[in-house]
Amino acid sequence: MATSSSNTNKADHSKNPPLTLRSSDGKELKIFRIVAQQSSTIMNLLDLEEESNTDVIPVSEVDGSTLEKLIELMNNHTEKSFNYLGVKERKKFYNDFFANWKILDVLNFGLVANYLGVQVIFDEACQKMADMIKSKSVEWVRKVFEIKNDFTPEEEEDLKKENKWAYERGDLDDGDDAI
Amino acid sequence: MGVSCSFSVSSPPFQFSFGFADRHHAALVCHRWHFLACHPRLWLRVDRSVKDLSEPGVYPDIETAVCAARPGDTVLIAAGGIHQTSNIQIKKPLCLIGAGELPDDTTLICSRDSESALEFMSTCKLANLTVRAELGCCLLHRSGRLTIDGCILQCESNPLDHLSHAIVTTATTPDGIPPLQKNCVSVMRTRIEGGATAVLTRGTLSLKQVRVICTRTSLFFWFNVDHH
């Protein structure tokens, strides 16, 4: 069960039993209401669940593994110690969390955070993706994200000339390690 | 790990990442990314009539906007009136654009007690602006690739104008083979008026590829200041 281990939350447990979320693959995960409040989608789904008198909130767009990771991160955010982290410590926390993740995994995680309306985690996932594509070529980005180049050769040449002033990068690393 | 979701890579939420990444490079991926990365709604604006920072993205002066800007941002400077600009150091890649139809419409003035109006330590672009120096220089280039496109650089005529230069560069050839960062100045379609010289090179760069077009009232310059 993904729960918060904070002593502060123990007093809430008896009065606020954990909610149950069911993922797309049928996995059921517990989350305390105080943690779930970070997600606007879960709170909206909770209103619907209370109307229909069922105990389980279906989150049918998200698989169990991703949901579990997201709940773990949301639990961290409700820890008092997390809120006192400085900018550098917070950056280190997220670097450690996303360490060795492939970019498509970060992308999926960001999509899930966006779907569930957890803005802070969504922003951090976007930041991580931006950091990962910073050193990559345009062709690499198109390949990884399966984006079709819809510029004509003339448009592309004009854009490169127009933005030439901005380029100060050395060789770009197009390794496949982040895919 | 997977999710079935209606959002795709091209959706609006991903515009947030471009504030941090290499924006102009990301703009080359496809039309959608170009729109997200470079749309004018993301530009910072300088408007002297603004009294405080209550309106997001609008700043009362250039220095405040430069401080608030993130690498890769574009700062649009309102036309009309005079922008007092004094020794503003720019240490991140930025684009400064005049909002008027002509460069004459947006004027930056560097007062007598300043070394320069703008001091560049990163790759930057200036476009459609007038920069006027009462003494000293209009633009001081320390490092990075500086592009000046369609501007007017004026050194005021006064007894000491032999000490004024439109552009001063102290940049040198960087180390490394190939160098990670190229230091150079590219001037295009720019009027340069007054002062002892158009460009004074105090580092190791040299003036190259000079072209001048003479009209009835003005001289338009194209040149590069680059490595040997």
Side-chain angles (χ1 to χ4, degrees):
Chain A
M1 174 166 123
T3 61
S4 166
S5 59
S6 164
N7 287 333
T8 307
N9 287 339
K10 281 186 183 171
D12 296 329
H13 296 180
S14 59
K15 295 180 186 175
N16 294 295
L19 308 171
T20 303
L21 306 179
R22 184 185 293 136
S23 65
S24 59
D25 48 356
K27 193 169 184 178
E28 290 192 355
L29 295 157
K30 302 286 186 188
I31 182 171
F32 288 109
R33 190 177 289 247
I34 193 170
V35 177
Q37 280 171 357
Q38 296 171 65
S39 164
S40 54
T41 305
I42 293 175
M43 299 316 290
N44 289 336
L45 290 170
L46 184 63
D47 290 338
L48 294 172
E49 178 261 339
E50 283 171 349
E51 283 174 17
S52 62
N53 274 331
T54 62
D55 296 328
V56 179
I57 302 170
V59 189
S60 56
E61 300 290 329
V62 187
D63 67 280
S65 168
T66 310
L67 189 58
E68 189 168 17
K69 284 192 170 74
L70 186 67
I71 291 174
E72 174 195 335
L73 204 47
M74 290 165 70
N75 282 331
N76 282 119
H77 280 203
T78 55
E79 296 279 341
K80 272 191 176 175
S81 56
F82 187 86
N83 292 324
Y84 291 121
L85 288 181
V87 171
K88 281 185 182 171
E89 288 89 358
R90 199 173 273 244
K91 193 168 174 68
K92 183 181 181 314
F93 172 85
Y94 280 108
N95 282 341
D96 292 342
F97 182 82
F98 287 121
N100 302 320
W101 283 41
K102 306 286 186 192
I103 193 168
L104 291 179
D105 293 339
V106 179
L107 169 64
N108 278 326
F109 193 77
L111 289 172
V112 167
N114 186 45
Y115 169 72
L116 291 177
V118 189
Q119 188 64 39
V120 171
I121 295 175
F122 171 69
D123 286 346
E124 292 294 340
C126 285
Q127 172 73 79
K128 177 65 182 174
M129 274 192 290
D131 290 342
M132 290 172 89
I133 68 174
K134 204 186 251 190
S135 61
K136 303 300 184 187
S137 67
V138 170
E139 289 73 27
W140 186 93
V141 172
R142 287 177 185 144
K143 179 183 162 191
V144 166
F145 292 103
E146 295 178 2
I147 297 172
K148 185 173 179 293
N149 178 14
D150 54 1
F151 290 122
T152 63
E154 293 76 26
E155 281 174 335
E156 208 163 352
E157 208 46 49
D158 287 342
L159 268 178
K160 282 180 183 171
K161 278 185 197 165
E162 188 184 307
N163 292 329
K164 196 177 173 188
W165 67 274
Y167 299 132
E168 55 180 3
R169 300 203 276 177
D171 290 336
L172 298 171
D173 166 26
D174 276 2
D176 285 339
D177 54 304
I179 300 176
Chain B
M1 177 183 295
V3 58
S4 59
C5 183
S6 58
F7 286 106
S8 67
V9 175
S10 58
S11 290
F14 281 85
Q15 66 183 299
F16 291 113
S17 69
F18 300 119
F20 309 104
D22 191 343
R23 184 175 298 165
H24 292 280
H25 204 74
L28 289 177
V29 172
C30 63
H31 276 107
R32 178 67 175 161
W33 279 44
H34 181 261
F35 175 83
L36 292 172
C38 299
H39 198 275
R41 82 194 184 293
L42 295 175
W43 294 1
L44 284 72
R45 288 187 289 129
V46 175
D47 187 342
R48 288 180 315 112
S49 65
V50 163
K51 300 297 174 203
D52 54 30
L53 301 177
S54 55
E55 189 178 346
V58 184
Y59 301 89
D61 56 72
I62 295 172
E63 189 163 15
T64 311
V66 165
C67 283
R70 293 176 295 193
D73 272 344
T74 296
V75 178
L76 186 69
I77 303 168
I82 302 289
H83 297 267
Q84 290 291 342
T85 312
S86 190
N87 295 326
I88 297 179
Q89 289 187 334
I90 303 179
K91 299 179 182 177
K92 52 193 135 175
L94 292 179
C95 182
L96 274 65
I97 300 179
E101 283 192 22
L102 298 171
D104 310 71
D105 298 337
T106 311
T107 304
L108 280 57
I109 288 192
C110 167
S111 60
R112 199 168 269 268
D113 56 349
S114 306
E115 190 178 4
S116 66
L118 302 167
E119 183 177 347
F120 296 95
M121 291 175 233
S122 184
T123 291
C124 291
K125 181 176 179 180
L126 242 60
N128 200 39
L129 289 169
T130 294
V131 184
R132 189 180 303 148
E134 294 179 355
L135 197 62
C137 65
C138 300
L139 307 174
L140 178 54
H141 171 246
R142 299 285 192 194
S143 62
R145 302 163 62 116
L146 175 60
T147 302
I148 304 161
D149 186 1
C151 292
I152 302 172
L153 304 180
Q154 295 172 327
C155 295
E156 284 197 347
S157 298
N158 57 50
L160 295 175
D161 62 352
H162 63 280
L163 297 176
S164 297
H165 308 273
I167 303 169
V168 172
T169 175
T170 64
T172 56
T173 306
D175 295 328
I177 301 169
L180 290 178
Q181 175 182 277
K182 192 176 178 189
N183 296 330
C184 62
V185 180
S186 296
V187 171
M188 294 173 284
R189 213 171 25 104
T190 292
R191 276 164 50 190
I192 299 180
E193 298 161 2
T197 61
V199 57
L200 176 65
T201 57
R202 288 198 177 130
T204 58
L205 305 185
S206 57
L207 186 62
K208 297 177 179 178
Q209 299 159 332
V210 181
R211 287 184 295 142
V212 183
I213 291 182
C214 304
T215 66
R216 221 152 29 104
T217 54
S218 309
L219 295 175
F220 290 86
F221 288 85
W222 282 253
F223 57 81
N224 292 324
V225 187
D226 208 334
H227 308 281
H228 285 293

